Amino acid sequence: MSKKILAAFLVTASGLGLPLASAQEPPPDAVFVNGKVATVDADFTVREAFAVRGGRIVATGTNAAIRALARPNVTAVHDLAGRTVLPGLIDSHVHAPAASMFEFDHEIPSMETIAEVLAYIGSRTKVVPEGEWIQVQQVFITRLKEARYPTRAELDATAPKHPVAFRTGPDSMLNTLALQKCGFDRDWIVKDGGPGYLEKDPSGELNGLTRGLARSINLRSRSRTATEADHLRRLQEQLRDYNQIGFTAVADRGATPESMKRYVALRDRGDFTVRVALSQTFPTVGSMESIRGAIDEIAKNPLRKDDGWLHLIGTKAWLDGGMLTGSAYMLKPWGRNESYGIRDDAYRGVLNIPADRLLEMVRHVAQHGMQFTAHVQGDGAVTALVDAYAAVNREKPIRALRMGLTHSSFMTRDTVERAAKLGVVIDLQPIWLYLDTRTLVNQFGYERLRYFQPLKTIFEMGGMVGGGSDHMLKIGDLRAINPYNPFLAMWTTLTRRAKWYDGQLHPEEALSRRQAIEFYTRNNAYLIFWEKEIGSLEKGKRADFIVVDRDLLTCPVDEVKDARVLETWVEGKKVFAQKKA
Ligand SMILES: [Zn+2]
C-alpha cells in the first residue's frame, strides 16, 4: 500500500481506538491470556499472555497489551485461568520406531521382581505352543528388586515344556530346554572365534547363564509379522503419546534408512505432531574406507535440509558398553561382581572403537559439517571421546558442530570442563539416576559417584546439557523402558532421589527449577540445532507450548513428578487435550 493510503488507514485505525502497532500487521489468530507463561527466554521472563499467528508467536506481554492485539471474529481468545504455560518439551534421546513396535505381538507387563518375571513366563506358556521359544528382553537384573537373574531351576519349574531365554544385553539365562536347543552342554566351548562362555555351578554343571553368546541363541518364533501400515500406525501412536506428556520435539538417536522412511511417510501425509531430529547410525567395524563411505552416504541424505519438522543432524556410534550390564568403560577397574560375571580385578569395561579409528570417524563427520555423537557411559569412554574432539578441534574448531556426548553418565570434573570449552553438548538421562542409584552405589560406593550426572557442575562451567530418556521399548511414559515422563526426570534432577534408595545421590549436583525447565526446553533445542525455532516462547518462534496442571516453579518439590499436561499445542494447533474428569 502507498505511504499516503497507509497514513490514512492509520488515522482511521487510531480514530477507532485501536493501537497503531497492530494496524501495521495483521491481527493474531489466537491470544492466550491470564496465564503464568514461562517463556524460557534468556532471562527466564514470566509473562501473563502471548499471541499466535500463522503458527508462530507474534508477541508476549501483559494481559492488556496482548488483548489489545485481538480482533473480533478473527482472533480466538483463550483464557488460561491462571495456569502455567511452558514451551513444548523436548526429549533429546529416543528410539521411537522400535519402541512403538515392541508390543506389537502382545502386551508385556512391567516386571520389578523375580516373581513377576516368572508370572509373565507362566502366562506365555499358555499361549506359545510347546517347544517354541519364550523370551524376556531388556529387563535389567539390576532393576529387579532381587538384583539377580532368575535361576535355571526357576525357569524349568515355570516352563518345563518351552525353551526360555531371559536376555539382558550380551548375556542370557536359559532353562534346560533352551540349553539343549542351542546345543550347550558341559563340554561346549566357543568355536566361531568370537567372545563368550557358559557359566557353571561348583559341580561343573551348567547353571544356565550364557555370557556374550547372544549370537548363538537362535530364537526363531512364530510371532505376527507387521505390515508397513502397522509400523506407521504404531509410530503415529507413539508420537501422540509423546504429545500427551508434553513433548513437541524429540531426537531419535539411532535413525536408520528404514526408520527415516517411516518418519518421512508420516510427515508427508500431515500426521506429524512431534518434530524429530535424527542422528543416523553407521557401522564402526570394517575398513576405514568403508566407514568413510557410509558417512559420505549419510551426508548426502536430503533430510539434512531442515523443514522445521524433520532433519538429520548427524551420526551416532556406540563407544562403550552399558552401566547396567557391567560393560561401561571406566577410568578405574569396575571391581568384582558376580551378577555381571566380573572376576578380573583389572577389568575396566568394554571400549568398542580404538582411539585412532575414533579420531578418523570424528574428523570425517566434522568435514561434512555434521554433529558426531556416541554412546559413552563410563568415564573412560567419555574421556576417550572428549580426547578425540579435542584433537579434531586443534585442526579446525568444532564449536559450531555441537559434537555430542550421549548419556555421559560417569564424568570427571576435567571432562565437564573440557566439554564446555569445546562447545561439546551432552544428552543425559536422569531416569537412570532414579532407577539405578541403588545398584551403582552398591557397586562403586558413594564417593566414586561424585560426578555421576553432574548437572549442576555442567551448568556452572558453562556447558550445554539437555534431558532425555533413551526410550527404547513400549509406548507409555511410565511403563516404557526407559520411562519418558519428563516431570519424573525433572524431579530427579531437583532432588537427586532414587527408587529403593534412602537419601540423595550427591545433592550438591541438584538443579534449580529454572535449570530443570531449561534442561528440557531451550537447552535441548540447542542440542538439535533448532534453537531459532523452538525451546522458548519468543516473538518469531514456532508456537509449540504446553499448559500444565500446576506451577512447576513454586509447587512443593515432590509434586513436580506428578505434573500432568492439560493441553499440548504444536505450531499453534492443539494436538492434545486431557479428557475432562
Ligand atoms: Zn539410545
mmCIF file of all heavy atoms in Angstrom, residues 215-255:
data_model
loop_
_atom_site.group_PDB
_atom_site.id
_atom_site.type_symbol
_atom_site.label_atom_id
_atom_site.label_comp_id
_atom_site.label_asym_id
_atom_site.label_seq_id
_atom_site.Cartn_x
_atom_site.Cartn_y
_atom_site.Cartn_z
ATOM 1 N N ARG A 215 24.602 -64.154 19.970
ATOM 2 C CA ARG A 215 24.611 -64.551 18.552
ATOM 3 C C ARG A 215 24.343 -66.049 18.371
ATOM 4 O O ARG A 215 23.918 -66.485 17.302
ATOM 5 C CB ARG A 215 25.951 -64.180 17.907
ATOM 6 C CG ARG A 215 27.120 -65.010 18.434
ATOM 7 C CD ARG A 215 28.469 -64.555 17.879
ATOM 8 N NE ARG A 215 29.558 -65.387 18.403
ATOM 9 C CZ ARG A 215 30.016 -65.318 19.638
ATOM 10 N NH1 ARG A 215 29.502 -64.466 20.492
ATOM 11 N NH2 ARG A 215 31.006 -66.115 20.026
ATOM 12 N N SER A 216 24.641 -66.846 19.396
ATOM 13 C CA SER A 216 24.490 -68.302 19.272
ATOM 14 C C SER A 216 23.108 -68.787 19.675
ATOM 15 O O SER A 216 22.836 -69.977 19.637
ATOM 16 C CB SER A 216 25.525 -69.008 20.144
ATOM 17 O OG SER A 216 26.805 -68.502 19.899
ATOM 18 N N ILE A 217 22.255 -67.884 20.117
ATOM 19 C CA ILE A 217 20.930 -68.285 20.585
ATOM 20 C C ILE A 217 19.907 -67.871 19.546
ATOM 21 O O ILE A 217 19.577 -66.697 19.401
ATOM 22 C CB ILE A 217 20.630 -67.654 21.964
ATOM 23 C CG1 ILE A 217 21.717 -68.064 22.963
ATOM 24 C CG2 ILE A 217 19.260 -68.072 22.467
ATOM 25 C CD1 ILE A 217 21.679 -67.291 24.255
ATOM 26 N N ASN A 218 19.443 -68.830 18.794
ATOM 27 C CA ASN A 218 18.524 -68.537 17.691
ATOM 28 C C ASN A 218 17.086 -68.681 18.179
ATOM 29 O O ASN A 218 16.596 -69.776 18.402
ATOM 30 C CB ASN A 218 18.809 -69.503 16.538
ATOM 31 C CG ASN A 218 18.004 -69.140 15.304
ATOM 32 O OD1 ASN A 218 17.140 -68.280 15.357
ATOM 33 N ND2 ASN A 218 18.295 -69.797 14.204
ATOM 34 N N LEU A 219 16.441 -67.529 18.336
ATOM 35 C CA LEU A 219 15.123 -67.511 18.965
ATOM 36 C C LEU A 219 14.009 -67.445 17.942
ATOM 37 O O LEU A 219 13.153 -66.583 18.026
ATOM 38 C CB LEU A 219 15.005 -66.279 19.859
ATOM 39 C CG LEU A 219 15.914 -66.242 21.067
ATOM 40 C CD1 LEU A 219 16.343 -64.832 21.338
ATOM 41 C CD2 LEU A 219 15.193 -66.811 22.260
ATOM 42 N N ARG A 220 14.059 -68.311 16.953
ATOM 43 C CA ARG A 220 13.024 -68.219 15.931
ATOM 44 C C ARG A 220 11.653 -68.493 16.558
ATOM 45 O O ARG A 220 11.457 -69.485 17.245
ATOM 46 C CB ARG A 220 13.304 -69.191 14.788
ATOM 47 C CG ARG A 220 12.754 -68.664 13.469
ATOM 48 C CD ARG A 220 13.216 -69.504 12.292
ATOM 49 N NE ARG A 220 14.633 -69.376 12.025
ATOM 50 C CZ ARG A 220 15.414 -70.419 11.735
ATOM 51 N NH1 ARG A 220 14.924 -71.632 11.720
ATOM 52 N NH2 ARG A 220 16.688 -70.224 11.484
ATOM 53 N N SER A 221 10.735 -67.583 16.332
ATOM 54 C CA SER A 221 9.389 -67.797 16.874
ATOM 55 C C SER A 221 8.366 -67.423 15.819
ATOM 56 O O SER A 221 8.696 -66.831 14.803
ATOM 57 C CB SER A 221 9.189 -66.937 18.124
ATOM 58 O OG SER A 221 9.085 -65.588 17.743
ATOM 59 N N ARG A 222 7.132 -67.794 16.081
ATOM 60 C CA ARG A 222 6.089 -67.547 15.087
ATOM 61 C C ARG A 222 5.224 -66.347 15.448
ATOM 62 O O ARG A 222 4.012 -66.418 15.399
ATOM 63 C CB ARG A 222 5.191 -68.782 14.987
ATOM 64 C CG ARG A 222 5.789 -69.841 14.089
ATOM 65 C CD ARG A 222 4.768 -70.932 13.888
ATOM 66 N NE ARG A 222 5.374 -72.233 14.117
ATOM 67 C CZ ARG A 222 4.688 -73.306 14.439
ATOM 68 N NH1 ARG A 222 3.378 -73.238 14.604
ATOM 69 N NH2 ARG A 222 5.294 -74.461 14.603
ATOM 70 N N SER A 223 5.863 -65.252 15.874
ATOM 71 C CA SER A 223 5.040 -64.090 16.214
ATOM 72 C C SER A 223 4.541 -63.426 14.927
ATOM 73 O O SER A 223 5.083 -63.641 13.855
ATOM 74 C CB SER A 223 5.831 -63.114 17.068
ATOM 75 O OG SER A 223 7.043 -62.810 16.439
ATOM 76 N N ARG A 224 3.518 -62.626 15.077
ATOM 77 C CA ARG A 224 2.906 -61.947 13.929
ATOM 78 C C ARG A 224 3.939 -61.071 13.221
ATOM 79 O O ARG A 224 4.744 -60.433 13.864
ATOM 80 C CB ARG A 224 1.793 -61.025 14.428
ATOM 81 C CG ARG A 224 0.566 -61.743 14.877
ATOM 82 C CD ARG A 224 -0.604 -60.794 14.977
ATOM 83 N NE ARG A 224 -0.455 -59.746 15.975
ATOM 84 C CZ ARG A 224 -0.963 -58.528 15.827
ATOM 85 N NH1 ARG A 224 -1.623 -58.213 14.723
ATOM 86 N NH2 ARG A 224 -0.837 -57.622 16.767
ATOM 87 N N THR A 225 3.855 -60.992 11.920
ATOM 88 C CA THR A 225 4.730 -60.052 11.230
ATOM 89 C C THR A 225 3.939 -58.781 10.923
ATOM 90 O O THR A 225 2.767 -58.832 10.563
ATOM 91 C CB THR A 225 5.287 -60.644 9.924
ATOM 92 O OG1 THR A 225 4.274 -61.404 9.311
ATOM 93 C CG2 THR A 225 6.496 -61.498 10.186
ATOM 94 N N ALA A 226 4.624 -57.663 11.078
ATOM 95 C CA ALA A 226 3.963 -56.371 10.911
ATOM 96 C C ALA A 226 4.039 -55.914 9.465
ATOM 97 O O ALA A 226 5.043 -56.111 8.796
ATOM 98 C CB ALA A 226 4.647 -55.347 11.810
ATOM 99 N N THR A 227 2.965 -55.291 8.998
ATOM 100 C CA THR A 227 2.980 -54.677 7.665
ATOM 101 C C THR A 227 3.509 -53.254 7.803
ATOM 102 O O THR A 227 3.623 -52.726 8.909
ATOM 103 C CB THR A 227 1.555 -54.599 7.089
ATOM 104 O OG1 THR A 227 0.793 -53.720 7.924
ATOM 105 C CG2 THR A 227 0.897 -55.974 7.051
ATOM 106 N N GLU A 228 3.801 -52.635 6.675
ATOM 107 C CA GLU A 228 4.268 -51.249 6.695
ATOM 108 C C GLU A 228 3.203 -50.348 7.345
ATOM 109 O O GLU A 228 3.530 -49.433 8.111
ATOM 110 C CB GLU A 228 4.587 -50.800 5.265
ATOM 111 C CG GLU A 228 5.376 -49.517 5.155
ATOM 112 C CD GLU A 228 6.672 -49.512 5.968
ATOM 113 O OE1 GLU A 228 7.265 -50.586 6.214
ATOM 114 O OE2 GLU A 228 7.073 -48.413 6.376
ATOM 115 N N ALA A 229 1.944 -50.648 7.068
ATOM 116 C CA ALA A 229 0.854 -49.849 7.668
ATOM 117 C C ALA A 229 0.863 -49.988 9.195
ATOM 118 O O ALA A 229 0.606 -49.017 9.914
ATOM 119 C CB ALA A 229 -0.490 -50.285 7.095
ATOM 120 N N ASP A 230 1.168 -51.197 9.694
ATOM 121 C CA ASP A 230 1.265 -51.387 11.152
ATOM 122 C C ASP A 230 2.369 -50.505 11.733
ATOM 123 O O ASP A 230 2.194 -49.865 12.775
ATOM 124 C CB ASP A 230 1.604 -52.850 11.486
ATOM 125 C CG ASP A 230 0.461 -53.807 11.170
ATOM 126 O OD1 ASP A 230 -0.709 -53.406 11.323
ATOM 127 O OD2 ASP A 230 0.752 -54.954 10.774
ATOM 128 N N HIS A 231 3.509 -50.495 11.060
ATOM 129 C CA HIS A 231 4.631 -49.670 11.539
ATOM 130 C C HIS A 231 4.229 -48.196 11.622
ATOM 131 O O HIS A 231 4.504 -47.521 12.611
ATOM 132 C CB HIS A 231 5.832 -49.817 10.605
ATOM 133 C CG HIS A 231 6.621 -51.074 10.823
ATOM 134 N ND1 HIS A 231 7.521 -51.206 11.843
ATOM 135 C CD2 HIS A 231 6.632 -52.260 10.156
ATOM 136 C CE1 HIS A 231 8.074 -52.406 11.797
ATOM 137 N NE2 HIS A 231 7.547 -53.075 10.786
ATOM 138 N N LEU A 232 3.577 -47.712 10.586
ATOM 139 C CA LEU A 232 3.208 -46.292 10.555
ATOM 140 C C LEU A 232 2.168 -45.973 11.619
ATOM 141 O O LEU A 232 2.237 -44.946 12.294
ATOM 142 C CB LEU A 232 2.687 -45.899 9.170
ATOM 143 C CG LEU A 232 3.714 -45.979 8.038
ATOM 144 C CD1 LEU A 232 3.088 -45.495 6.731
ATOM 145 C CD2 LEU A 232 4.955 -45.153 8.360
ATOM 146 N N ARG A 233 1.193 -46.867 11.756
ATOM 147 C CA ARG A 233 0.128 -46.634 12.732
ATOM 148 C C ARG A 233 0.702 -46.562 14.141
ATOM 149 O O ARG A 233 0.368 -45.689 14.928
ATOM 150 C CB ARG A 233 -0.910 -47.763 12.630
ATOM 151 C CG ARG A 233 -2.092 -47.649 13.580
ATOM 152 C CD ARG A 233 -3.137 -48.748 13.317
ATOM 153 N NE ARG A 233 -2.534 -50.067 13.187
ATOM 154 C CZ ARG A 233 -2.124 -50.820 14.205
ATOM 155 N NH1 ARG A 233 -2.234 -50.382 15.439
ATOM 156 N NH2 ARG A 233 -1.576 -52.009 13.999
ATOM 157 N N ARG A 234 1.596 -47.496 14.453
ATOM 158 C CA ARG A 234 2.139 -47.504 15.811
ATOM 159 C C ARG A 234 3.119 -46.358 16.054
ATOM 160 O O ARG A 234 3.196 -45.821 17.161
ATOM 161 C CB ARG A 234 2.778 -48.860 16.114
ATOM 162 C CG ARG A 234 1.733 -49.961 16.230
ATOM 163 C CD ARG A 234 2.321 -51.270 16.677
ATOM 164 N NE ARG A 234 2.718 -51.261 18.074
ATOM 165 C CZ ARG A 234 1.964 -51.724 19.068
ATOM 166 N NH1 ARG A 234 0.766 -52.207 18.830
ATOM 167 N NH2 ARG A 234 2.403 -51.713 20.297
ATOM 168 N N LEU A 235 3.862 -45.979 15.025
ATOM 169 C CA LEU A 235 4.766 -44.831 15.190
ATOM 170 C C LEU A 235 3.949 -43.563 15.448
ATOM 171 O O LEU A 235 4.292 -42.749 16.309
ATOM 172 C CB LEU A 235 5.652 -44.665 13.952
ATOM 173 C CG LEU A 235 6.654 -43.503 13.996
ATOM 174 C CD1 LEU A 235 7.568 -43.583 15.216
ATOM 175 C CD2 LEU A 235 7.495 -43.468 12.717
ATOM 176 N N GLN A 236 2.843 -43.437 14.742
ATOM 177 C CA GLN A 236 1.988 -42.269 14.962
ATOM 178 C C GLN A 236 1.402 -42.285 16.382
ATOM 179 O O GLN A 236 1.346 -41.254 17.057
ATOM 180 C CB GLN A 236 0.866 -42.249 13.941
ATOM 181 C CG GLN A 236 0.114 -40.936 13.984
ATOM 182 C CD GLN A 236 -1.042 -40.899 13.033
ATOM 183 O OE1 GLN A 236 -1.368 -41.902 12.386
ATOM 184 N NE2 GLN A 236 -1.677 -39.756 12.942
ATOM 185 N N GLU A 237 1.011 -43.473 16.818
ATOM 186 C CA GLU A 237 0.503 -43.626 18.186
ATOM 187 C C GLU A 237 1.574 -43.190 19.195
ATOM 188 O O GLU A 237 1.286 -42.541 20.194
ATOM 189 C CB GLU A 237 0.181 -45.112 18.393
ATOM 190 C CG GLU A 237 -0.940 -45.430 19.343
ATOM 191 C CD GLU A 237 -1.142 -46.946 19.386
ATOM 192 O OE1 GLU A 237 -1.486 -47.559 18.337
ATOM 193 O OE2 GLU A 237 -0.929 -47.529 20.450
ATOM 194 N N GLN A 238 2.805 -43.539 18.899
ATOM 195 C CA GLN A 238 3.912 -43.153 19.778
ATOM 196 C C GLN A 238 4.072 -41.639 19.826
ATOM 197 O O GLN A 238 4.221 -41.056 20.895
ATOM 198 C CB GLN A 238 5.210 -43.803 19.293
ATOM 199 C CG GLN A 238 6.416 -43.455 20.140
ATOM 200 C CD GLN A 238 6.287 -43.999 21.547
ATOM 201 O OE1 GLN A 238 6.317 -45.203 21.757
ATOM 202 N NE2 GLN A 238 6.086 -43.113 22.512
ATOM 203 N N LEU A 239 4.021 -40.995 18.663
ATOM 204 C CA LEU A 239 4.181 -39.540 18.638
ATOM 205 C C LEU A 239 3.049 -38.872 19.415
ATOM 206 O O LEU A 239 3.254 -37.907 20.144
ATOM 207 C CB LEU A 239 4.235 -39.029 17.196
ATOM 208 C CG LEU A 239 5.393 -39.564 16.332
ATOM 209 C CD1 LEU A 239 5.377 -38.907 14.948
ATOM 210 C CD2 LEU A 239 6.752 -39.364 16.995
ATOM 211 N N ARG A 240 1.835 -39.418 19.289
ATOM 212 C CA ARG A 240 0.692 -38.894 20.068
ATOM 213 C C ARG A 240 0.930 -39.068 21.562
ATOM 214 O O ARG A 240 0.535 -38.220 22.366
ATOM 215 C CB ARG A 240 -0.598 -39.627 19.673
ATOM 216 C CG ARG A 240 -1.066 -39.301 18.276
ATOM 217 C CD ARG A 240 -1.755 -37.947 18.263
ATOM 218 N NE ARG A 240 -2.119 -37.567 16.919
ATOM 219 C CZ ARG A 240 -2.658 -36.390 16.600
ATOM 220 N NH1 ARG A 240 -2.886 -35.488 17.542
ATOM 221 N NH2 ARG A 240 -2.952 -36.117 15.356
ATOM 222 N N ASP A 241 1.549 -40.179 21.930
ATOM 223 C CA ASP A 241 1.819 -40.383 23.347
ATOM 224 C C ASP A 241 2.879 -39.410 23.855
ATOM 225 O O ASP A 241 2.828 -38.974 25.005
ATOM 226 C CB ASP A 241 2.229 -41.836 23.635
ATOM 227 C CG ASP A 241 1.996 -42.171 25.097
ATOM 228 O OD1 ASP A 241 0.818 -42.308 25.484
ATOM 229 O OD2 ASP A 241 2.975 -42.235 25.877
ATOM 230 N N TYR A 242 3.831 -39.071 22.998
ATOM 231 C CA TYR A 242 4.787 -38.020 23.393
ATOM 232 C C TYR A 242 4.034 -36.712 23.638
ATOM 233 O O TYR A 242 4.325 -35.988 24.592
ATOM 234 C CB TYR A 242 5.839 -37.805 22.305
ATOM 235 C CG TYR A 242 6.876 -38.910 22.167
ATOM 236 C CD1 TYR A 242 7.453 -39.196 20.934
ATOM 237 C CD2 TYR A 242 7.305 -39.645 23.264
ATOM 238 C CE1 TYR A 242 8.424 -40.183 20.787
ATOM 239 C CE2 TYR A 242 8.263 -40.643 23.130
ATOM 240 C CZ TYR A 242 8.823 -40.908 21.891
ATOM 241 O OH TYR A 242 9.773 -41.879 21.751
ATOM 242 N N ASN A 243 3.054 -36.397 22.799
ATOM 243 C CA ASN A 243 2.277 -35.163 22.987
ATOM 244 C C ASN A 243 1.569 -35.138 24.340
ATOM 245 O O ASN A 243 1.547 -34.111 25.009
ATOM 246 C CB ASN A 243 1.193 -35.016 21.904
ATOM 247 C CG ASN A 243 1.738 -34.690 20.524
ATOM 248 O OD1 ASN A 243 1.152 -35.098 19.523
ATOM 249 N ND2 ASN A 243 2.827 -33.958 20.456
ATOM 250 N N GLN A 244 0.989 -36.279 24.744
ATOM 251 C CA GLN A 244 0.174 -36.257 25.961
ATOM 252 C C GLN A 244 1.009 -35.990 27.211
ATOM 253 O O GLN A 244 0.489 -35.579 28.233
ATOM 254 C CB GLN A 244 -0.683 -37.517 26.112
ATOM 255 C CG GLN A 244 0.041 -38.843 26.336
ATOM 256 C CD GLN A 244 0.484 -39.093 27.761
ATOM 257 O OE1 GLN A 244 -0.124 -38.583 28.704
ATOM 258 N NE2 GLN A 244 1.539 -39.870 27.935
ATOM 259 N N ILE A 245 2.323 -36.207 27.139
ATOM 260 C CA ILE A 245 3.151 -35.902 28.307
ATOM 261 C C ILE A 245 4.000 -34.642 28.068
ATOM 262 O O ILE A 245 4.895 -34.324 28.839
ATOM 263 C CB ILE A 245 3.971 -37.151 28.734
ATOM 264 C CG1 ILE A 245 4.458 -37.050 30.174
ATOM 265 C CG2 ILE A 245 5.099 -37.464 27.760
ATOM 266 C CD1 ILE A 245 3.352 -36.996 31.211
ATOM 267 N N GLY A 246 3.658 -33.921 26.997
ATOM 268 C CA GLY A 246 4.216 -32.579 26.834
ATOM 269 C C GLY A 246 5.306 -32.411 25.803
ATOM 270 O O GLY A 246 5.815 -31.308 25.614
ATOM 271 N N PHE A 247 5.674 -33.484 25.098
ATOM 272 C CA PHE A 247 6.736 -33.329 24.105
ATOM 273 C C PHE A 247 6.190 -32.809 22.784
ATOM 274 O O PHE A 247 5.170 -33.281 22.287
ATOM 275 C CB PHE A 247 7.466 -34.652 23.859
ATOM 276 C CG PHE A 247 8.264 -35.112 25.041
ATOM 277 C CD1 PHE A 247 7.955 -36.289 25.691
ATOM 278 C CD2 PHE A 247 9.307 -34.333 25.523
ATOM 279 C CE1 PHE A 247 8.680 -36.697 26.806
ATOM 280 C CE2 PHE A 247 10.037 -34.733 26.635
ATOM 281 C CZ PHE A 247 9.723 -35.924 27.274
ATOM 282 N N THR A 248 6.923 -31.853 22.231
ATOM 283 C CA THR A 248 6.591 -31.357 20.896
ATOM 284 C C THR A 248 7.763 -31.575 19.948
ATOM 285 O O THR A 248 7.660 -31.298 18.762
ATOM 286 C CB THR A 248 6.224 -29.868 20.957
ATOM 287 O OG1 THR A 248 7.308 -29.156 21.558
ATOM 288 C CG2 THR A 248 4.964 -29.652 21.786
ATOM 289 N N ALA A 249 8.894 -32.050 20.489
ATOM 290 C CA ALA A 249 10.041 -32.404 19.645
ATOM 291 C C ALA A 249 10.864 -33.471 20.351
ATOM 292 O O ALA A 249 10.905 -33.510 21.590
ATOM 293 C CB ALA A 249 10.912 -31.181 19.357
ATOM 294 N N VAL A 250 11.476 -34.336 19.564
ATOM 295 C CA VAL A 250 12.367 -35.365 20.106
ATOM 296 C C VAL A 250 13.572 -35.513 19.180
ATOM 297 O O VAL A 250 13.522 -35.117 18.016
ATOM 298 C CB VAL A 250 11.675 -36.750 20.233
ATOM 299 C CG1 VAL A 250 10.505 -36.705 21.210
ATOM 300 C CG2 VAL A 250 11.214 -37.270 18.865
ATOM 301 N N ALA A 251 14.628 -36.116 19.718
ATOM 302 C CA ALA A 251 15.766 -36.501 18.878
ATOM 303 C C ALA A 251 15.834 -38.018 18.862
ATOM 304 O O ALA A 251 15.860 -38.648 19.912
ATOM 305 C CB ALA A 251 17.062 -35.925 19.429
ATOM 306 N N ASP A 252 15.821 -38.587 17.663
ATOM 307 C CA ASP A 252 15.969 -40.033 17.516
ATOM 308 C C ASP A 252 17.458 -40.316 17.390
ATOM 309 O O ASP A 252 18.091 -39.924 16.409
ATOM 310 C CB ASP A 252 15.205 -40.515 16.274
ATOM 311 C CG ASP A 252 15.208 -42.034 16.159
ATOM 312 O OD1 ASP A 252 16.277 -42.645 16.396
ATOM 313 O OD2 ASP A 252 14.163 -42.610 15.818
ATOM 314 N N ARG A 253 18.009 -41.007 18.383
ATOM 315 C CA ARG A 253 19.459 -41.225 18.414
ATOM 316 C C ARG A 253 19.850 -42.601 17.899
ATOM 317 O O ARG A 253 20.777 -43.226 18.409
ATOM 318 C CB ARG A 253 19.978 -41.039 19.841
ATOM 319 C CG ARG A 253 19.774 -39.649 20.401
ATOM 320 C CD ARG A 253 20.595 -38.592 19.693
ATOM 321 N NE ARG A 253 20.522 -37.311 20.405
ATOM 322 C CZ ARG A 253 21.214 -36.247 20.066
ATOM 323 N NH1 ARG A 253 22.021 -36.270 19.018
ATOM 324 N NH2 ARG A 253 21.103 -35.129 20.750
ATOM 325 N N GLY A 254 19.119 -43.065 16.921
ATOM 326 C CA GLY A 254 19.501 -44.341 16.320
ATOM 327 C C GLY A 254 18.792 -44.527 14.997
ATOM 328 O O GLY A 254 18.333 -45.618 14.675
ATOM 329 N N ALA A 255 18.714 -43.448 14.219
ATOM 330 C CA ALA A 255 17.949 -43.490 12.977
ATOM 331 C C ALA A 255 18.633 -44.393 11.949
ATOM 332 O O ALA A 255 19.860 -44.447 11.862
ATOM 333 C CB ALA A 255 17.786 -42.089 12.414
#
